[in-house]
Amino acid sequence: MSAYVYLLQCKNNSLYTGYTTDVAQRLKTHQEGKGAKYTKSHLPVALAYCQLFPDKSCALRQEARIKKFSRTKKLELCQNWSNETLRFATGEDGKAILEIYQYYVENSTATFAYTPPNLEEYRRWVEQSALQYPFLVLERDKRMIGFAHAHRWREREAFDWAVETSIYLAPDVTGGERGVRLYGTLLALLQKQGIYQAYAVLANPNPASEAMHQKIGFVQLGAQPCCGWKHGQWHGKTLWGYCLREPKGEPAPVIPFCELDKEKLAQMMEHC
C-alpha cells in the first residue's frame, strides 16, 4: 500500500515530520488536536510538504532522512513543494520534455543517444507512453523542470510485469529532493497498476543518480563495463532494481494506466 511522508508547519513556525497512508484524514486528526502530542500543543498546523511513496518501508526511510535535515533544508523542501507542480504529461508537453532530454543527449552520458528524436515523433511517443504507464512532469513558474516515466522492460510476454524507469531534471534545478518527488510518485502509481519490478539502467559512473536511486530504495543488481562509446571514451552501465510487489503466485494482468480509476488517481495526487 502506498504511503506519504509529510511536514506540518506549526503555530510557532516549527516543522513536524510524519508519515501516513491517508493524508487528508491524518491532517484532519492533527488539526483537531487528536494527532501527535507535539502538534496538539502547537495548534494550528498546516500541511507544508507531502510526498507519495510506493509502500510504508519506503516512506519510513524518507521520514527518517527528513528528520535529520537541518531546518534550512526542511524549509527548502517545503518551498519547492509549494512552488512546484507535479502533474501528468500530455502530448503538448513534448517540446518542453525534449528540450530537457536534448541537453543530456548533447552534454552527458546519462543517455547513450547521440542525436535527439524528431519533435513530432517525440510528441506521439509521450502520448502513447502516457496511455500505458505514468508519465509525470514537474513545473515551476509554468516552466518544465523535470520528468519521469516508465516503459516495458522487455518485449516478451513474460516481462509484462516489469518496467524500466527514467528520470531527467533540467540541469539548472537538480537537487532539492525533486528526483525523489518524481520517482516516489512514479513508483507508487506503477504499483497501483500491478507492476512487480521496476528497473533503472544508469551510466557508470553517475554518483548523483546512484545516490538518488538509493534514497528511494533501489538496489544495484549488476554492471556492464565499457559497453558504450560516447564523448571520446568508453562508458559502462549499472542495473538497479526496486521490487514493488512480492512475486508469489500467478499475477493478475497489469492495468494500463489510462484505465485506472480517475477519481482514485486524483485522490493519490491531490497532495503530491
Side-chain angles (χ1 to χ4, degrees):
M1 177 183 288
S2 58
Y4 301 80
V5 176
Y6 62 89
L7 283 168
L8 299 178
Q9 185 171 24
C10 303
K11 183 179 181 180
N12 64 349
N13 286 324
S14 62
L15 293 168
Y16 173 85
T17 310
Y19 88 95
T20 182
T21 57
D22 188 331
V23 181
Q25 182 57 48
R26 188 59 178 161
L27 180 59
K28 182 174 182 288
T29 301
H30 279 295
Q31 291 174 332
E32 292 176 346
K34 300 175 184 177
K37 184 184 295 185
Y38 184 85
T39 56
K40 183 178 180 180
S41 60
H42 292 83
L43 294 173
V45 297
L47 189 64
Y49 161 83
C50 186
Q51 168 68 59
L52 177 62
F53 289 100
D55 51 58
K56 179 180 175 181
S57 61
C58 192
L60 286 172
R61 284 194 301 271
Q62 179 71 352
E63 181 193 27
R65 288 184 62 245
I66 291 177
K67 284 181 175 179
K68 296 177 182 178
F69 286 0
S70 66
R71 176 173 172 81
T72 299
K73 190 168 181 178
K74 288 179 182 178
L75 289 173
E76 179 191 12
L77 193 65
C78 295
Q79 186 178 46
N80 289 344
W81 179 80
S82 176
N83 294 333
E84 296 169 5
T85 302
L86 186 65
R87 63 170 177 81
F88 299 125
T90 70
E92 295 303 309
D93 296 311
K95 183 175 185 295
I97 293 171
L98 181 55
E99 287 175 356
I100 294 175
Y101 181 64
Q102 183 170 345
Y103 170 85
Y104 289 94
V105 171
E106 297 174 349
N107 300 282
S108 168
T109 58
T111 171
F112 277 15
Y114 281 18
T115 56
N118 171 274
L119 176 56
E120 288 308 313
E121 291 177 353
Y122 208 67
R123 282 177 174 158
R124 288 194 295 271
W125 171 75
V126 171
E127 288 178 347
Q128 292 301 313
S129 296
L131 294 175
Q132 190 63 36
Y133 301 109
F135 201 128
L136 298 169
V137 297
L138 187 64
E139 293 180 320
R140 186 182 184 104
D141 298 327
K142 297 184 179 180
R143 174 204 170 200
M144 188 177 300
I145 59 173
F147 66 92
H149 64 93
H151 58 82
R152 286 185 65 95
W153 172 240
R154 293 287 187 270
E155 289 306 314
R156 303 298 186 191
E157 295 88 341
F159 291 113
D160 282 355
W161 295 268
V163 297
E164 181 178 347
T165 58
S166 294
I167 181 170
Y168 291 93
L169 293 171
D172 60 326
V173 292
T174 56
E177 299 291 305
R178 293 180 176 92
V180 172
R181 185 176 185 182
L182 280 162
Y183 237 142
T185 306
L186 178 70
L187 292 173
L189 294 169
L190 289 168
Q191 201 271 348
K192 290 296 181 186
Q193 288 185 258
I195 297 296
Y196 277 67
Q197 304 287 344
Y199 298 110
V201 181
L202 309 183
N204 184 30
N206 192 341
S209 186
E210 290 177 2
M212 191 275 292
H213 283 79
Q214 287 174 322
K215 288 178 187 177
I216 293 291
F218 277 80
V219 295
Q220 185 175 339
L221 303 175
Q224 291 180 295
C226 301
C227 60
W229 173 265
K230 190 175 183 182
H231 298 324
Q233 58 183 310
W234 288 100
H235 302 274
K237 289 284 188 179
T238 54
L239 173 64
W240 297 70
Y242 190 104
C243 182
L244 290 163
R245 291 170 176 263
E246 190 66 27
K248 291 182 179 179
E250 183 176 352
V254 171
I255 304 171
F257 188 69
C258 63
E259 295 180 14
L260 288 179
D261 187 293
K262 300 298 187 294
E263 184 176 340
K264 290 182 179 178
L265 282 179
Q267 290 173 354
M268 286 180 68
M269 295 289 290
E270 183 179 1
H271 299 292
C272 291

